[in-house]
Amino acid sequence: MRYKAVLFDMDGTVLDTLGDLTNAVNHILREYGMPERTAREAASFLGNGAAHLIKMAVAPGTSDELRAEMLAAYVPWYDSHCAILTAPYPGIVPLMEALKAAGVKQAVISNKQDSAVRRLAEEHFPGLLETAIGESETVRRKPNPDAVLKALREMGVEKKDAVYVGDTEVDLQTARNAGLDCAAVGWGFRTEEELRAAGASRVFFSAEELLDWLLGD
């Protein structure tokens, strides 16, 4: 067994949240009379939190003040509509169950607002996680290492005994900033080429492949 703890990114890594995120963004864009975005466009905007998502999605020339107003409308609307289409990626729940059975501690770390992170973690991974942490007033969004370091403290695990698993360049940088090993997955919001360009040395394409590696020597 390689690690005592595995810290997972949420969106694009353990949960396919793209449908609900795209719908939430487009709801706000419609409310403000702006052109909607495709799921592919929305995916390219993800990884840096809700503020960045709105900044990238709005029409060119939108003022900072209007973006802030739209963000304030987006957050509660997404909170109440974040579990309609969202579901775990294939093999993720069995992977987590196998890690738990092997005594490996697990956490989910996300740039999504903390309220949505905790709700989705509880709904989809009950009893499998030690903690779930999102962005809040006291936890800066990734690639700041705040959430990773907080999770390690809560789990009582040292950096050398943990790995961070994610699907974007933000996750790779987060792991570097926190001093953790990183495993990249290729089923999320970035291509293998983008991940390797960001420094990924190996990219996993199924939960089964990732599990075999995590439980290996």
Side-chain angles (χ1 to χ4, degrees), residues 1 27 30 45 50 60-61 80 84 102 116 129 134 155 179 189 205 212 217:
M1 190 161 55
H27 170 80
R30 286 193 302 272
F45 303 153
S80 61
I84 299 170
L129 303 174
M155 293 189 291
F189 299 150
F205 291 95
D212 287 344
D217 297 326

Side-chain angles (χ1 to χ4, degrees), residues 142-156:
K142 302 178 293 184
N144 287 296
D146 295 14
V148 170
L149 299 179
K150 180 180 179 181
L152 291 176
R153 289 193 300 269
E154 291 183 7
M155 293 189 291

Side-chain angles (χ1 to χ4, degrees), residues 62-195:
T62 301
S63 68
D64 292 345
E65 292 76 15
L66 184 54
R67 285 207 311 267
E69 181 180 325
M70 294 174 73
L71 175 63
Y74 166 85
V75 170
W77 201 91
Y78 177 71
D79 262 358
S80 61
H81 298 81
C82 67
I84 299 170
L85 301 176
T86 291
Y89 283 102
I92 289 297
V93 171
L95 176 150
M96 289 186 173
E97 291 172 341
L99 290 176
K100 185 176 179 65
V104 179
K105 296 181 178 181
Q106 298 169 85
V108 164
I109 305 297
S110 177
N111 272 345
K112 192 191 302 294
Q113 60 263 30
D114 189 65
S115 53
V117 171
R118 293 182 182 279
R119 176 188 173 186
L120 290 171
E122 182 177 348
E123 179 170 335
H124 293 289
F125 312 119
L128 295 174
L129 303 174
E130 301 295 321
T131 188
I133 302 171
E135 184 183 7
S136 67
E137 292 183 358
T138 59
V139 177
R140 296 174 297 173
R141 67 176 180 270
K142 302 178 293 184
N144 287 296
D146 295 14
V148 170
L149 299 179
K150 180 180 179 181
L152 291 176
R153 289 193 300 269
E154 291 183 7
M155 293 189 291
V157 176
E158 296 183 20
K159 295 179 182 180
K160 65 180 179 64
D161 295 321
V163 62
Y164 189 84
V165 179
D167 71 303
T168 71
E169 69 285 350
V170 177
D171 296 312
L172 291 162
Q173 187 61 53
T174 300
R176 286 192 287 267
N177 290 345
L180 266 65
D181 291 344
C182 187
V185 301
W187 56 73
F189 299 150
R190 299 292 187 271
T191 65
E192 179 181 4
E193 292 73 22
E194 289 171 324
L195 291 168

